[in-house]
Amino acid sequence: MTPLDRFPLHYLAAFRAAAQTENLRAAADSLHLTHSAVSQQIRGLEAALGFEVFTRQGRRLLLNPAGRALQTAVARVFAELQAGLLAAAQADSHASLTLRVTTLPSFAQRWLLPRLPRWQALQPCITLDLHTSHQVVDLEREGYQIGVRVGRGPWPGLVTERLFKSALIAVAAPGLAHGLVGLPDAALASQPLLDDVDLWRAWFAQAGVTVAPQVVASFNDAGMLLQAAEQGMGIALCRELLAADALLSGQLVKVSARQLAMDASRDYQIVYPEALRDEPAVRAFCDWVHAEIAALQQRLTETVAADR
């Protein structure tokens, strides 16, 4: 592997964009480079490292284990570097600013709020004005710089960066999960199920089980769904990233290894106006969110590996 003092660090920007988009053309568009330029930089990075970081599937690039480990480190470094640049600019101007962010209540409650102390420590001069809503807010009209949404748009005038995919897992409180882990998926049909009947029907169908699921309660917010599961009300189908902290702490337990894949229309996205693409505070927040997600995904991967 090439020593760090001679390592082509500009390759890391191409790697970061490709890891986020899983597509060379989309990565090239985000970097304002050509498709071939980004492809060459990825190949150059792998040559410098001495190993591959992606698995190629047609036009898609999928991170392999080495790539996932590198993504975690690169995301953290970019976030810290962006924070340093912003801090330097603020120190020079002696100014503070407010960053207005609108997001879904579930994302704010289950993922963002527990991590805000780290953001505050990293960016003490930026006041975060956080707004939650189930409605899609017009960022520019309402004066928000950043939004976190579910879907894929199109949202004219907004830059979109995918945060994470929408595979669903089945979780329950430890008391309910006890005795279910390791059993066939059909065993869940007799248990109290929470929320969306159609999702449960799809989950059982994927397992090859024909059943008419009966739910004991439904919710219009994933945060409430997970809280109900933590209270032992039943088994919930949820996004792993939203349940991650509870899984790592033991408040929730996976009751099946099965995941229900969702299409891209259910992916989480971070969006901001095109005019703010190069705004330092916006870039700092987006880089920090990407870094936190990469680190959390790495922790989940390591936990699964340790449990085997």
Side-chain angles (χ1 to χ4, degrees):
M1 187 171 70
T2 303
L4 185 59
D5 59 352
R6 297 200 301 276
F7 196 89
L9 295 178
H10 64 286
Y11 288 172
L12 296 179
F15 166 78
R16 171 174 167 269
Q20 289 175 1
T21 62
E22 296 183 340
N23 182 282
L24 282 177
R25 192 166 302 282
D29 289 343
S30 70
L31 295 171
H32 303 291
L33 296 173
T34 65
H35 176 281
S36 61
V38 174
S39 179
Q40 289 173 8
Q41 290 187 23
I42 295 297
R43 294 291 186 186
L45 172 66
E46 292 177 326
L49 291 171
F51 51 82
E52 293 186 345
V53 291
F54 289 107
T55 298
R56 274 78 175 174
Q57 293 186 356
R59 295 183 178 181
R60 290 192 65 193
L61 295 176
L62 301 179
L63 288 167
N64 61 25
R68 286 193 295 270
L70 181 62
Q71 184 195 29
T72 300
V74 167
R76 185 181 301 117
V77 167
F78 267 77
E80 291 181 358
L81 181 57
Q82 185 65 57
L85 294 172
L86 185 57
Q90 290 170 341
D92 179 67
S93 64
H94 306 288
S96 61
L97 56 89
T98 297
L99 190 62
R100 303 192 71 213
V101 179
T102 178
T103 180
L104 291 165
S106 55
F107 184 79
Q109 175 195 356
R110 302 295 307 196
W111 193 92
L112 185 56
L113 286 177
R115 288 161 179 79
L116 284 185
R118 289 203 286 273
W119 164 260
Q120 188 177 32
L122 196 63
Q123 294 288 359
C125 294
I126 299 180
T127 299
L128 201 63
D129 180 1
L130 187 62
H131 169 270
T132 64
S133 175
H134 289 289
Q135 305 302 316
V136 175
V137 175
D138 186 315
L139 300 188
E140 295 188 274
R141 186 181 65 196
E142 301 297 331
Y144 290 97
Q145 287 86 23
I146 294 173
V148 176
R149 297 178 176 176
V150 172
R152 56 184 173 186
W155 296 302
L158 298 182
V159 178
T160 302
E161 299 180 14
R162 190 180 67 186
L163 294 180
F164 53 88
K165 297 180 183 179
S166 295
L168 302 182
I169 60 172
V171 300
L176 180 57
H178 180 69
L180 291 175
V181 177
L183 292 182
D185 290 330
L188 271 62
S190 62
Q191 300 299 315
L193 305 177
L194 298 176
D195 213 41
D196 196 307
V197 170
D198 290 335
L199 289 178
W200 275 114
R201 188 177 292 113
W203 190 89
F204 281 114
Q206 187 184 77
V209 178
T210 301
V211 65
Q214 300 295 318
V215 300
V216 298
S218 59
F219 308 89
N220 72 338
D221 177 77
M224 290 193 294
L225 168 65
L226 287 168
Q227 188 172 356
E230 289 169 349
Q231 296 300 317
M233 283 187 62
I235 304 171
L237 283 178
C238 65
R239 292 173 173 85
E240 188 172 34
L241 262 291
L242 293 185
D245 290 340
L247 290 169
L248 292 170
S249 69
Q251 287 179 279
L252 289 174
V253 177
K254 283 187 184 181
V255 297
S256 170
R258 182 172 304 282
Q259 292 190 352
L260 178 63
M262 306 295 289
D263 64 38
S265 67
R266 302 291 290 271
D267 287 350
Y268 269 69
Q269 316 278 357
I270 193 165
V271 300
Y272 48 87
E274 175 69 39
L276 300 181
R277 180 187 289 272
D278 298 319
E279 174 65 30
V282 170
R283 189 67 262 156
F285 185 80
C286 292
D287 285 347
W288 173 76
V289 171
H290 284 301
E292 289 285 339
I293 288 175
L296 185 56
Q297 289 174 324
Q298 185 70 19
R299 285 188 66 195
L300 290 170
T301 300
E302 291 170 353
T303 300
V304 170
D307 290 341
R308 288 175 180 170

